[in-house]
Amino acid sequence: MSALTSIWTRVFPFKRLPRIDRFHVSVVTSPAELSFGELLPIEIRYVLAVRPARMETFRKLLEKGFGIGVRTVEKTPERVLQAVDHVSRETQHNTIIPWLERLLRDGELPVFSEEELRRAEQKGINLYAEAKFILEQRFEFKKIVLVALENQPLTEREQQIMREVNEELYPYAIDVIVNRVTFDNAHTRTEAAQTIIKALLVVGPIAHALENVLSGIGKVFAATADDLLSETAEFFALRGSGFTWKQLIKRSRVLLPVFALATYGAFQVEPLIEHGRLAAAGVVFGLSAVALSLTTALQSIKLYHSSYASLAREGKLRMAPGRGLWSFALLQDFTNPARLGLFMGAIASPLMAALVFSATPELTRNGWVLAILGSTESIVASLTVFLAGHLNRWMFRARVRRAILAVVRT
């Protein structure tokens, strides 16, 4: 029963487990490992390439019984996320880019007005302390550490060696940190498996039953159900990110006619099938399935555009030549991999539905297939979230490899 309970809790997480900050460490423990550079963690390879004399220093540390490890956080520490959220909400109109990158890269504190400082102080928040805390924690995301394998104490000299090593590694970790914080701050909870299970176990049977009662009704349900679920999640995500009820209600006024148009389009799918226009039916089904999600995504970009316009008016945003507010809004929105995946899924949805409808017409009455096709954008978004961490690590390693090659060539 314990195994079944564990599976049920993971698939249907009604009770949220407490958040615990975790990290993993890859450790070199033997001096012999230093002779096989290609097997070393790439972070250690880089700091050795920058200063070849450090090879002997590392060898002595390993002989002394230390391990040399690369420590990487699995998720942004909760306290750092809280500090980022405070600065974002209280002074930056719910944005993270570009102030977080400037803070981490250049140590440049965000601009705070006297009114913002006063208002935050009334809530028990010291904005300068929060910004400085984020800056102090910048080395904690990815760092090279000494592991006392025999519980021996670290001397001041050994601690200084690690500080120097991490200062050299840090510039290549900044993009990883910004992406990690932005992603975790977005409160994305979607998982690919949960999205597919939702489509199969919830939407699928209902769509299948409706389709067998009256052809076309199941298609309408499959095309609109996922959008309604996604919009509910989007509503609470934006509210959790700091947007006001007034902003969200104003946003909802646009969604009602879009939902009505999408529902009308879904009702046209069955007549198109009956007339033998299978590809067109698939396109209409796919567009009906993504209309609401795509509209909410575009509205989110518009909300961020308004935020950046406010920052520009307040003198908090430096505009580079040739760069406009929309570019900031797009970058802020698409840094969240779920949003980027949603746009890719919205493009793929009508194409996928057209392909399935044309190639296998008999499946147009299968509720489970309709549910999957109606959830294409959510599934692609979930897979993008799943792959984002791997892509982030790959990009970091690619940057460090290039840096190593540049050092070797010089």
Side-chain angles (χ1 to χ4, degrees):
M1 288 296 293
S2 59
L4 288 174
T5 302
S6 176
I7 294 172
W8 181 266
T9 303
R10 287 172 182 243
V11 176
F12 300 100
F14 297 113
K15 183 178 179 181
R16 187 179 175 186
L17 297 176
R19 170 71 183 268
I20 300 174
D21 296 334
R22 298 180 183 275
F23 57 83
H24 64 266
V25 183
S26 177
V27 186
V28 176
T29 59
S30 168
E33 293 180 65
L34 296 177
S35 302
F36 302 93
E38 67 278 5
L39 300 181
L40 295 174
I42 194 166
E43 296 86 350
I44 294 178
R45 287 165 54 192
Y46 171 71
V47 297
L48 289 175
V50 172
R51 294 194 185 183
R54 189 172 280 144
M55 178 74 76
E56 187 58 30
T57 301
F58 278 15
R59 189 182 305 280
K60 289 179 180 178
L61 289 169
L62 292 169
E63 290 172 348
K64 192 176 177 181
F66 286 107
I68 301 174
V70 178
R71 195 188 79 169
T72 306
V73 297
E74 293 182 357
K75 289 186 177 180
T76 305
E78 194 71 24
R79 180 64 186 90
V80 175
L81 277 181
Q82 183 184 62
V84 171
D85 189 60
H86 285 161
V87 174
S88 174
R89 285 175 184 250
E90 300 296 330
T91 76
Q92 302 298 311
H93 297 278
N94 307 310
T95 66
I96 293 178
I97 298 170
W99 70 264
L100 180 60
E101 182 177 1
R102 288 175 179 162
L103 175 64
L104 294 172
R105 193 180 298 279
D106 306 320
E108 179 184 326
L109 294 176
V111 177
F112 304 140
S113 69
E114 290 297 328
E115 181 183 350
E116 289 167 345
L117 290 168
R118 240 185 348 263
R119 187 172 61 240
E121 197 66 40
Q122 291 172 356
K123 299 177 183 178
I125 301 170
N126 184 320
L127 292 174
Y128 280 113
E130 297 291 74
K132 289 176 181 176
F133 176 78
I134 297 169
L135 190 59
E136 290 168 358
Q137 296 297 306
R138 65 191 183 280
F139 293 126
E140 300 305 313
F141 286 78
K142 182 178 284 291
K143 66 188 299 187
I144 297 175
V145 296
L146 280 181
V147 181
L149 300 175
E150 299 174 7
N151 295 323
Q152 65 270 46
L154 271 67
T155 65
E156 177 58 35
R157 174 57 184 156
E158 289 159 353
Q159 294 178 34
Q160 179 61 31
I161 290 171
M162 289 300 103
R163 283 193 290 268
E164 292 172 359
V165 163
N166 285 298
E167 285 173 1
E168 290 177 352
L169 178 66
Y170 176 69
Y172 296 96
I174 289 177
D175 292 337
V176 175
I177 296 170
V178 173
N179 289 342
R180 179 79 261 172
V181 173
T182 306
F183 176 41
D184 291 337
N185 191 71
H187 305 295
T188 304
R189 300 283 181 256
T190 309
E191 295 289 344
Q194 291 182 12
T195 302
I196 295 171
I197 289 172
K198 173 192 70 180
L200 290 176
L201 299 186
V202 180
V203 180
I206 298 174
H208 198 72
L210 291 173
E211 192 66 13
N212 281 284
V213 171
L214 181 62
S215 293
I217 298 299
K219 296 180 180 66
V220 174
F221 179 77
T224 56
D226 182 71
D227 261 3
L228 284 174
L229 292 171
S230 298
E231 170 53 25
T232 302
E234 174 76 6
F235 185 89
F236 286 107
L238 287 174
R239 177 58 186 159
S241 295
F243 290 99
T244 64
W245 288 110
K246 182 178 179 180
Q247 288 174 305
L248 296 177
I249 291 172
K250 181 179 179 181
R251 170 179 173 273
S252 298
R253 293 173 187 166
V254 179
L255 299 178
L256 292 176
V258 171
F259 180 69
L261 183 62
T263 304
Y264 173 79
F267 272 106
Q268 305 310 306
V269 174
E270 188 64 25
L272 287 170
I273 293 175
E274 292 174 356
H275 286 83
R277 301 177 62 187
L278 296 172
V283 170
V284 172
F285 178 85
L287 290 174
S288 299
V290 302
L292 198 62
S293 295
L294 195 56
T295 302
T296 60
L298 292 172
Q299 285 186 315
S300 176
I301 295 173
K302 186 177 179 182
L303 282 174
Y304 280 123
H305 179 271
S306 299
S307 295
Y308 281 110
S310 298
L311 289 173
R313 286 195 301 270
E314 295 166 8
K316 297 178 180 179
L317 184 66
R318 293 201 304 268
M319 302 291 292
R323 189 170 190 183
L325 297 176
W326 286 110
S327 64
F328 282 110
L330 287 168
L331 182 61
Q332 171 73 54
D333 208 41
F334 285 169
T335 301
N336 178 0
R339 180 73 70 217
L340 179 61
L342 187 146
F343 271 93
M344 294 190 296
I347 295 171
S349 182
L351 299 176
M352 183 65 70
L355 178 63
V356 172
F357 278 34
S358 301
T360 54
E362 65 277 7
L363 293 181
T364 60
R365 292 180 57 82
N366 186 303
W368 284 272
V369 172
L370 293 172
I372 292 295
L373 291 174
S375 302
T376 298
E377 83 279 17
S378 294
I379 293 171
V380 173
S382 300
L383 292 174
T384 306
V385 169
F386 175 76
L387 294 173
H390 299 284
L391 179 61
N392 206 15
R393 287 191 291 274
W394 179 85
M395 291 175 65
F396 169 76
R397 287 195 293 268
R399 283 192 293 271
V400 175
R401 285 193 190 95
R402 289 196 296 269
I404 292 173
L405 290 174
V407 170
V408 171
R409 286 169 184 163
T410 56

